Amino acid sequence: MQWRGRRQSDNIEDRRGMSTGGMGGGGGFRLPTGGRGGGIGIGGLVVILLISWALGINPLTLLSGGDTYSDSGSQQQQSGTRPQGQSSDETTAFVRTILAETEDTWGKIFQASGETYQKPTLVLFSGQVRSACGNATSASGPFYCPVDRKVYLDTDFFRELSQRFGASGDFAQAYVIAHEVGHHVQNLTGVLPEFNQRRQSMSESQANALSVKVELQADCYAGIWGKSTQQKGILEAGDLEEALNAAHQIGDDTLQKKTQGYVVPDSFNHGTSAQRVEWFRRGFESGRVEDCDTFSADI
């Protein structure tokens, strides 16, 4: 992917190397950070952990109705961030560039509909972080918080994506960011708030099924972004295959087979490998938002 030398976004908070003021106390959402043992729910803690590693938001966890932090608490966290633009390493430049490309893509799409795209902020952290949705560690993987409209990313995840999930390449990494930005688009368009409301009256299996539709739409939105990069001529041979491989590797069925040797379909909340590949490809091939209506599809 020919990303160097392109515009970089300023919508970055660099919190790497900073203390969160204590990760253990208080309310707020908490993603699983345990090891490979133990069990929780149908799929087991290890499955939930690996799924949370696999591209971000699990709406059932992220929007679980837990206490969120007050405005004053969020402001205190903001005041401790490093000045924007301080870090100039290549990984940071890559993240800034990909975020800028998503801003361009969605800015044009929203503008075509007579609306203004509200850009998200991407927070870089290391080890652990506090968001308006609660506390998280690096083991949570990238995630999007709809409360503060920020994407959270520990860039060490890119190494895990390659080594643990077998999904290497810069376009696979870009897919991670584009997927989380897809959740931001869903938040702006009302999809995430509606999901949070509807799931309150659903059974666990019903909420999981709806969560799959949310995640697959974010995959499709990532594909739309991928289409725009292709149209700009910055994709290289093998880039699309990198993203499709990443989508395959983090499918619920593939993760469960690797970790427990069998699958439990009712516990799926991101979609199977085939589904994730299909919906990313659908967005990539069409480039149209209307072709990403997973909620009307038979999934």
Side-chain angles (χ1 to χ4, degrees):
M1 184 179 182
Q2 300 175 14
W3 61 269
R4 293 176 180 82
R6 303 187 66 81
R7 183 181 77 84
Q8 297 183 14
S9 174
D10 290 327
N11 296 308
I12 296 285
E13 288 180 20
D14 195 343
R15 302 186 193 174
R16 289 174 292 184
M18 295 183 176
S19 172
T20 62
M23 290 293 295
F29 97 101
R30 188 182 303 276
L31 292 172
T33 58
R36 295 181 177 273
I40 178 172
I42 298 178
L45 177 60
V46 63
V47 176
I48 299 175
L49 173 60
L50 287 178
I51 289 175
S52 69
W53 270 84
L55 296 190
I57 180 177
N58 174 355
L60 298 178
T61 302
L62 189 55
L63 305 178
S64 60
D67 296 333
T68 57
Y69 288 90
S70 65
D71 291 340
S72 60
S74 297
Q75 290 168 357
Q76 290 173 355
Q77 178 67 24
Q78 291 270 2
S79 65
T81 60
R82 282 186 264 181
Q84 291 183 351
Q86 181 171 335
S87 179
S88 60
D89 62 274
E90 184 165 287
T91 300
T92 304
F94 172 78
V95 171
R96 286 181 179 274
T97 303
I98 300 306
L99 184 61
E101 292 293 329
T102 66
E103 291 169 352
D104 293 345
T105 297
W106 290 108
K108 291 178 181 178
I109 291 174
F110 273 62
Q111 185 179 38
S113 299
E115 301 177 10
T116 300
Y117 177 60
Q118 302 172 37
K119 302 173 184 178
T121 296
L122 192 150
V123 178
L124 295 172
F125 73 95
S126 58
Q128 55 192 25
V129 71
R130 176 179 295 169
S131 75
C133 294
N135 298 333
T137 70
S138 296
S140 303
F143 67 94
Y144 172 72
C145 175
V147 180
D148 58 21
R149 296 185 173 185
K150 295 180 179 179
V151 173
Y152 290 80
L153 171 67
D154 185 332
T155 54
D156 283 347
F157 178 76
F158 292 153
R159 173 173 49 82
E160 295 294 331
L161 185 67
S162 175
Q163 296 179 359
R164 185 174 297 225
F165 294 111
S168 60
D170 54 8
F171 201 60
Q173 297 171 359
Y175 163 51
V176 172
I177 298 171
H179 175 93
E180 298 309 328
V181 172
H183 286 307
H184 175 65
V185 173
Q186 291 175 316
N187 197 32
L188 295 178
T189 57
V191 171
L192 292 189
E194 181 179 356
F195 168 78
N196 190 38
Q197 181 179 23
R198 291 177 60 186
R199 75 180 182 85
Q200 301 297 331
S201 59
M202 291 181 171
S203 66
E204 181 179 356
S205 61
Q206 289 173 329
N208 282 344
L210 188 57
S211 174
V212 167
K213 292 177 181 286
V214 171
E215 292 295 333
L216 293 179
Q217 185 177 68
D219 280 336
C220 190
Y221 285 171
I224 289 177
W225 169 80
K227 177 71 171 181
S228 72
T229 63
Q230 181 191 50
Q231 291 172 336
K232 291 178 180 179
I234 63 177
L235 290 193
E236 298 175 312
D239 281 343
L240 176 59
E241 288 72 22
E242 288 177 2
L244 294 176
N245 176 56
H248 175 83
Q249 295 298 334
I250 49 92
D252 287 330
D253 53 339
T254 297
L255 289 174
Q256 290 188 0
K257 287 177 183 177
K258 288 181 178 179
T259 58
Q260 62 188 23
Y262 59 93
V263 300
V264 184
D266 284 347
S267 69
F268 291 173
N269 53 23
H270 279 66
T272 66
S273 293
Q275 288 172 330
R276 302 200 72 166
V277 168
E278 175 190 352
W279 283 96
F280 179 87
R281 187 187 292 276
R282 184 175 301 198
F284 186 88
E285 291 179 349
S286 77
R288 304 194 312 167
V289 172
E290 52 266 37
D291 290 330
C292 293
D293 184 7
T294 57
F295 302 97
S296 298
D298 185 13
I299 297 175

